[in-house]
Amino acid sequence: MPGEILDFLACYPFLKKGAVVVLHDIALCHHENNWDAIATKLLFDTVTADKLIGIDEEDSSLLNIGAFVVTEDTGQYIDDVFSALTTIWGYRVKDKELAIYREFYSHYYSEEKIILFDMAVRMNQSTLDRKVNEKIRIRQEGFLNAYAWVNQIKEKENVYVYGCGHYGKLLRQMFSQCGIRVKGYIISDGRDTGGCEEPIFYLSEIDRYLDKDRDVIVIGVDIPLQAEICDILSTRGISEYILPDRNILNMLI
């Protein structure tokens, strides 16, 4: 969004009655997480024309391709297509490109339609600015929370990372960069130690090394597995552990 609509409005003044416009990716928003890819669908739905689209209960992919035939009514209701530009755009169109569209439109469309175009541009520029600022704010909060989380761990004399998988290794690497001494990995009894840096401690023997007053265990597994690990530690009387939240894990990747 909004390229397809902008381009159609640029082409429309040269289309005669009976011209056929073929559209692809009408249902692109339902494929490969393209949540914002709705411009072609909006164009197909808002233009007044004779519309052609395949419908088959056994093959929904047919809905991704369609066409419409320009009629005498298409120009009469072209305002609806301009109005579609006021929906949220998924990306920022360069000012230079918008200026070219506006200059071109001014030769073929009424002043009211140009005003609607200008309103859509202003609305989306404002919305996209807020979206960018929100992303910056969330990122800053994430860094501050991560900083506080790391400082909490720094207060302990020794750190053990439970888990020697993907997140466990990334946590140990981060701690090393932050000057935090990691005494080793803790893994469940019977787990393969292949690919893990030394030292490695099995859960059944950790009681011999862990000082519950001065040491801490950081759970180095993904969110769905954290509760299971916490229960295992609790049954052994170990309550001094720290969990990374989703923001911390995302920062490691």
Side-chain angles (χ1 to χ4, degrees), residues 205-240:
E205 63 181 3
I206 193 61
D207 292 340
R208 283 185 271 162
Y209 304 97
L210 184 69
D211 186 323
K212 296 180 181 179
D213 295 323
R214 296 183 301 176
D215 301 343
V216 68
I217 298 173
V218 179
I219 310 300
V221 300
D222 201 0
I223 301 296
L225 296 175
Q226 288 183 354
E228 177 183 345
I229 302 301
C230 292
D231 289 341
I232 292 173
L233 292 175
S234 295
T235 59
R236 302 188 65 86
I238 300 174
S239 58
E240 192 65 24

Side-chain angles (χ1 to χ4, degrees), residues 19-251:
V20 179
V21 179
V22 180
L23 301 176
H24 189 253
D25 291 337
I26 296 176
L28 182 61
C29 58
H30 293 288
H31 300 281
E32 299 180 3
N33 297 327
N34 292 297
W35 313 115
D36 296 327
I38 60 172
T40 309
K41 173 64 172 171
L42 278 173
L43 173 59
F44 185 80
D45 288 349
T46 56
V47 67
T48 299
D50 291 336
K51 300 177 184 181
L52 309 169
I53 196 165
I55 298 178
D56 187 334
E57 292 183 3
E58 303 298 325
D59 187 3
S60 60
S61 65
L62 291 176
L63 292 173
N64 200 40
I65 300 176
F68 59 81
V69 182
V70 175
T71 68
E72 293 179 350
D73 294 328
T74 303
Q76 182 179 353
Y77 298 102
I78 201 70
D79 284 7
D80 293 338
V81 181
F82 273 93
S83 181
L85 288 172
T86 62
T87 57
I88 294 178
W89 299 356
Y91 58 90
R92 188 181 297 274
V93 182
K94 295 179 180 179
D95 291 342
K96 182 178 180 180
E97 294 178 7
L98 289 171
I100 293 173
Y101 279 116
R102 191 184 191 284
E103 173 65 20
F104 182 84
Y105 292 163
S106 65
H107 294 295
Y108 296 98
Y109 296 105
S110 67
E111 182 179 353
E112 289 77 12
K113 294 178 180 62
I114 303 304
I115 291 174
L116 186 58
F117 170 81
D118 289 340
M119 291 174 61
V121 170
R122 288 196 302 270
M123 289 169 62
N124 274 284
Q125 287 177 335
S126 176
T127 299
L128 289 170
D129 285 343
R130 291 198 309 272
K131 186 176 181 179
V132 170
N133 291 334
E134 179 66 11
K135 285 184 177 180
I136 292 173
R137 183 189 65 79
I138 292 173
R139 187 173 300 172
Q140 288 174 337
E141 288 182 356
F143 280 122
L144 290 173
N145 291 336
Y147 180 78
W149 187 78
V150 169
N151 281 336
Q152 177 188 7
I153 295 170
K154 276 186 173 181
E155 295 175 355
K156 297 298 182 177
E157 184 170 328
N158 294 306
V159 174
Y160 295 86
V161 175
Y162 195 115
C164 188
H166 178 67
Y167 287 112
K169 292 176 181 177
L170 289 175
L171 279 171
R172 181 167 186 167
Q173 181 180 351
M174 183 185 76
F175 292 153
S176 176
Q177 293 171 347
C178 294
I180 297 175
R181 179 172 180 263
V182 176
K183 199 163 184 179
Y185 290 109
I186 301 174
I187 63 175
S188 302
D189 292 4
R191 283 294 184 111
D192 184 7
T193 62
C196 298
E197 300 175 51
E198 299 287 346
I200 299 169
F201 304 93
Y202 283 111
L203 179 61
S204 60
E205 63 181 3
I206 193 61
D207 292 340
R208 283 185 271 162
Y209 304 97
L210 184 69
D211 186 323
K212 296 180 181 179
D213 295 323
R214 296 183 301 176
D215 301 343
V216 68
I217 298 173
V218 179
I219 310 300
V221 300
D222 201 0
I223 301 296
L225 296 175
Q226 288 183 354
E228 177 183 345
I229 302 301
C230 292
D231 289 341
I232 292 173
L233 292 175
S234 295
T235 59
R236 302 188 65 86
I238 300 174
S239 58
E240 192 65 24
Y241 52 79
I242 295 177
L243 298 169
D245 61 19
R246 175 55 63 192
N247 291 327
I248 297 294
L249 294 179
N250 287 341
M251 289 181 66

